[in-house]
Amino acid sequence: GIVFTEFIEFVEDKFGFEISNQIITESKLESGGVYTAVGTYDFQEMLSLLMSLHSKTNIPIPDLLEVFGKHLFHRFVDLYPDFVHKSLGLFGFIEKIDDYIHVEVKKLYPDAELPKLTVKAKTKDAMVMIYKSERKLGNFALGLLKSAAEFFNEPLSISMQTLEEDGSVVQFTLNRSDG
């Protein structure tokens, strides 16, 4: 539910209340577009909202997902500061996502469908991570990673490689840079 409520707020902030209202109305959502942070909603509704926003803005869906991911990371920091400790650094934070943060999220939201993140390789200055999700939101994850790098003040280059044609498995390679 929180992703839905934050998406509507994101649209209102970036594109205005009128666009937000239009995409909710035009999407003909089973929920009526009324979301709560603790609710569980059909992911098809998110796809409908995204398609509608794309049609209104002509912004490609991968770009909308990335910008929303960037926005949502900052909101997560505000809403759940206990999950994000600057002392961990970015790589330490990423390593805790599946084994700690997602476990805690499941306690709060038992019906949440979360992606699986696996660190495949790590050195002091590089990390290779596999993202698996039936929702195929690699660009959303990319936005989250970019905002996390900014939050931890760690300049990075991030590359994204789709490993499954349907987008359900993506590999991210993060390399620390000096700039």
Side-chain angles (χ1 to χ4, degrees):
I2 191 157
V3 172
F4 282 84
T5 60
E6 290 297 330
F7 182 75
I8 298 302
E9 284 189 32
F10 160 75
V11 173
E12 288 174 3
D13 290 348
K14 297 283 186 206
F15 305 101
F17 180 76
E18 187 174 320
I19 294 288
S20 175
N21 197 39
Q22 286 174 5
I23 69 167
I24 290 169
T25 304
E26 291 172 10
S27 294
K28 296 180 176 44
L29 307 166
E30 190 174 312
S31 69
V34 178
Y35 303 112
T36 65
V38 294
T40 303
Y41 306 98
D42 186 342
F43 185 65
Q44 286 303 124
E45 291 198 16
M46 180 60 70
L47 296 177
S48 296
L49 291 166
L50 272 167
M51 294 297 291
S52 185
L53 183 59
H54 163 69
S55 72
K56 295 262 176 254
T57 63
N58 291 318
I59 298 170
I61 288 175
D63 294 348
L64 288 171
L65 284 168
E66 184 178 331
V67 173
F68 177 52
K70 287 179 181 178
H71 164 86
L72 193 57
F73 181 81
H74 293 293
R75 291 294 297 141
F76 283 160
V77 170
D78 291 343
L79 295 168
Y80 307 105
D82 292 344
F83 290 161
V84 188
H85 301 282
K86 283 217 177 193
S87 62
L88 289 172
L90 177 64
F91 289 0
F93 170 74
I94 289 170
E95 288 177 309
K96 285 185 67 171
I97 291 173
D98 249 23
D99 295 333
Y100 173 67
I101 295 172
H102 282 173
V103 170
E104 295 300 315
V105 169
K106 279 296 220 180
K107 289 178 188 174
L108 295 170
Y109 308 106
D111 295 331
E113 293 177 28
L114 303 170
K116 176 81 176 139
L117 303 176
T118 307
V119 175
K120 193 170 151 183
K122 182 184 137 189
T123 65
K124 183 172 97 43
D125 292 318
M127 177 182 274
V128 177
M129 178 184 79
I130 305 296
Y131 161 91
K132 292 182 182 178
S133 173
E134 291 306 311
R135 294 191 170 159
K136 305 163 186 76
L137 296 173
N139 289 86
F140 173 71
L142 178 62
L144 288 166
L145 286 170
K146 286 181 176 181
S147 272
E150 290 171 13
F151 175 81
F152 287 101
N153 196 27
E154 295 190 30
L156 289 179
S157 66
I158 303 173
S159 64
M160 183 172 104
Q161 177 186 2
T162 303
L163 300 181
E164 290 290 332
E165 217 174 290
D166 68 355
S168 63
V169 182
V170 174
Q171 177 175 290
F172 290 99
T173 304
L174 295 72
N175 288 294
R176 287 192 171 114
S177 58
D178 295 329

